Amino acid sequence: MSNSIIKFKHVAKKYDKKEIISDLNFEIKKGEFITVLGSSGSGKTTTLKMINGLEKPTSGEIIVNGENLKNANLVNLRRHIGYVVQSIGLFPHMTIAQNIAVTPKLLGWSQDKIDQTVSKLLEVVGLEDARFKDAYPSQLSGGQQQRVGVARALSTNPPIMLFDEPFSALDAITRQNLQQELKTLHKNLNDKTFFFVTHDINEALFLGDRVMVMNNGMIEQFDTPENLIDHPATQYVSDLLGTVQQNKNLWEHFND
Ligand SMILES: Nc1ncnc2c1ncn2[C@@H]1O[C@H](COP(=O)(O)OP(=O)(O)OP(=O)(O)O)[C@@H](O)[C@H]1O
Ligand SMILES: [Mg+2]
């Protein structure tokens, strides 16, 4: 794969002496929207955190954007990787604008450039500048706060965005709206690579160009939603998607 942006080669990870991941191999192309499904404890979050160096592999190689993470400056790496988690982690005493501008400020951007970026990002995530810029996180709904989380992760225009169950605390309608918006956002942002962990099978199938199905620290199948449904590689995948198969027509029209 010539335009590979994330590559795992024989990656293993132990916590204490327990092997969580034994031999993980995969490659992601620049611009792909990857979703990750799997049982609780299957190693999804660990895999995601190894991409931005929050966790280190016990053995194996991880190449991100052409750089082997063994030799990478991790602070610098993380500035080039957006990270959105379920517990959004906005600073309560800072306004929305200040929350979005945390990293740009650390990087010493001019106030003009910061103001312009904040305005643009609020627009990108569908929040009105005038209403939200000077508000505090506690004045926003969960869905609105999650949008700020996405805006903040986009502030330095990173080529890679990692999402760890960002929508799991939201109600079904807000969640569906945000899914649609995230899909559009990905389409409009040129060539950004998204790595999105979720427990929601429909969400994974709807958003992913390819879906990684993990179980016991291994990849059961890494394939397009269509192939997962039509040709499940293992019993685990087949069982996981069993309920969805019946609803195939339902989610297919979302992809139109
Ligand atoms: N810091 C840690 N120390 C020890 N064990 C850990 C640590 N982090 C994760 N683990 C273990 O590694 C395994 C994989 O955890 P991980 O968080 O990657 O799973 P997950 O697939 O994200 O699960 P979930 O869907 O519940 O979020 C689990 O058995 C977990 O208990
Ligand atoms: Mg997890």
Side-chain angles (χ1 to χ4, degrees):
M1 243 186 260
S2 56
N3 51 352
S4 150
I5 188 154
I6 300 169
K7 186 170 186 176
F8 275 48
K9 290 197 281 191
H10 301 297
V11 168
K13 175 69 181 172
K14 285 183 188 157
Y15 284 117
D16 306 319
K17 286 194 177 108
K18 192 171 168 5
E19 191 160 70
I20 301 298
I21 286 167
S22 52
D23 184 16
L24 200 55
N25 296 283
F26 65 85
E27 196 161 8
I28 293 171
K29 277 183 294 188
K30 196 172 171 194
E32 279 194 294
F33 197 141
I34 301 299
T35 51
V36 187
L37 274 176
S39 326
S40 191
S42 58
K44 304 180 298 296
T45 295
T46 303
T47 303
L48 179 144
K49 284 182 171 171
M50 286 195 287
I51 296 173
N52 68 358
L54 283 176
E55 294 289 352
K56 285 201 172 64
T58 315
S59 60
E61 313 266 304
I62 300 175
I63 320 286
V64 176
N65 229 346
E67 192 175 20
N68 192 320
L69 294 198
K70 272 182 191 152
N71 316 318
N73 171 334
L74 293 182
V75 173
N76 194 35
L77 174 82
R78 279 181 217 131
R79 283 197 188 130
H80 293 96
I81 302 184
Y83 185 31
V84 186
V85 291
Q86 183 187 334
S87 57
I88 311 144
L90 299 180
F91 299 109
H93 59 287
M94 289 186 187
T95 65
I96 298 311
Q98 288 165 342
N99 265 285
I100 295 174
V102 166
T103 310
K105 226 173 175 119
L106 277 175
L107 295 176
W109 293 12
S110 72
Q111 196 56 44
D112 260 8
K113 188 174 172 195
I114 289 180
D115 291 345
Q116 278 171 25
T117 304
V118 167
S119 286
K120 181 163 168 277
L121 287 172
L122 283 171
E123 189 190 324
V124 162
V125 299
L127 296 172
E128 291 155 56
D129 190 12
R131 183 172 157 210
F132 290 101
K133 184 168 58 105
D134 298 321
Y136 286 87
S138 63
Q139 298 171 299
L140 271 59
S141 73
Q144 288 164 345
Q145 290 186 35
Q146 204 49 276
R147 286 163 202 258
V148 176
V150 173
R152 184 175 60 182
L154 283 167
S155 65
T156 54
N157 195 22
I160 299 173
M161 292 279 285
L162 307 177
F163 299 87
D164 199 349
E165 303 192 45
F167 303 152
S168 54
L170 304 174
D171 68 88
I173 292 177
T174 306
R175 188 176 180 135
Q176 223 171 44
N177 286 340
L178 280 176
Q179 287 166 2
Q180 185 58 64
E181 285 170 23
L182 195 69
K183 194 166 173 125
T184 309
L185 184 72
H186 178 261
K187 214 180 275 175
N188 293 342
L189 294 168
N190 255 343
D191 259 357
K192 271 199 206 312
T193 308
F194 281 17
F195 189 87
F196 186 105
V197 171
T198 175
H199 271 125
D200 182 327
I201 300 171
N202 286 302
E203 182 167 272
L205 295 172
F206 170 61
L207 290 175
D209 297 320
R210 288 193 295 153
V211 184
M212 184 182 290
V213 181
M214 292 189 75
N215 186 27
N216 285 329
M218 288 182 298
I219 295 179
E220 296 268 336
Q221 190 167 0
F222 188 16
D223 216 332
T224 60
E226 292 74 15
N227 278 340
L228 281 179
I229 299 230
D230 293 340
H231 309 287
T234 65
Q235 191 62 43
Y236 180 85
V237 177
S238 175
D239 291 347
L240 187 73
L241 298 183
T243 50
V244 174
Q245 205 128 17
Q246 295 150 10
N247 293 331
K248 191 175 169 191
N249 294 336
L250 195 72
W251 69 262
E252 256 179 0
H253 88 271
F254 283 131
N255 267 334
D256 289 346

